[in-house]
Amino acid sequence: MEASQIEALILAKDWSVLDHVAGLGPAAVPLMARLLQNPDKQVRQLTVLCLEQIKGPAAARLLADTFQDQEEQVRAYAADVLLAAPDPSVLPAMLQ
């Protein structure tokens, strides 16, 4: 599945995207960074879960940045993802 299709699924709040996003790997991180700026908190929540599927240091950094999100639920999703698979490089952000 291509990045534009992944983006369309996330914007449509289609949870089936979680079955496809890992295939993009780290190349999807810039798209996820943009989607984390979306005003819709459900889009941001789904994006956090997509980052969990993508994995890797760049995804972990974006998850740590999400601790600054205005919505508690989005921050909680990010914390849950990082606690499930901690990345030592983002530990300072988790402790703030």
Side-chain angles (χ1 to χ4, degrees):
M1 188 168 280
E2 295 190 19
S4 61
Q5 294 168 304
I6 296 291
E7 181 175 18
L9 288 173
I10 293 172
L11 291 173
K13 303 171 197 163
D14 184 338
W15 290 73
S16 73
V17 70
L18 297 174
D19 297 330
H20 305 286
V21 71
L24 290 180
V29 170
L31 169 63
M32 298 299 124
R34 191 172 76 247
L35 289 169
L36 285 172
Q37 303 304 313
N38 191 287
D40 186 325
K41 76 175 182 179
Q42 291 178 337
V43 168
R44 296 192 313 275
Q45 288 171 327
L46 186 51
T47 301
V48 165
L49 295 178
C50 285
L51 285 166
E52 178 180 27
Q53 299 301 312
I54 293 168
K55 301 182 183 0
R61 282 190 297 277
L62 273 181
L63 287 166
D65 290 347
T66 305
F67 290 160
Q68 304 303 315
D69 195 278
Q70 64 198 21
E71 292 289 336
E72 181 179 347
Q73 288 178 320
V74 176
R75 295 190 308 266
Y77 270 52
D80 288 346
V81 169
L82 284 171
L83 288 172
D87 182 320
S89 69
V90 300
L91 186 59
M94 292 180 74
L95 297 175
Q96 290 182 354

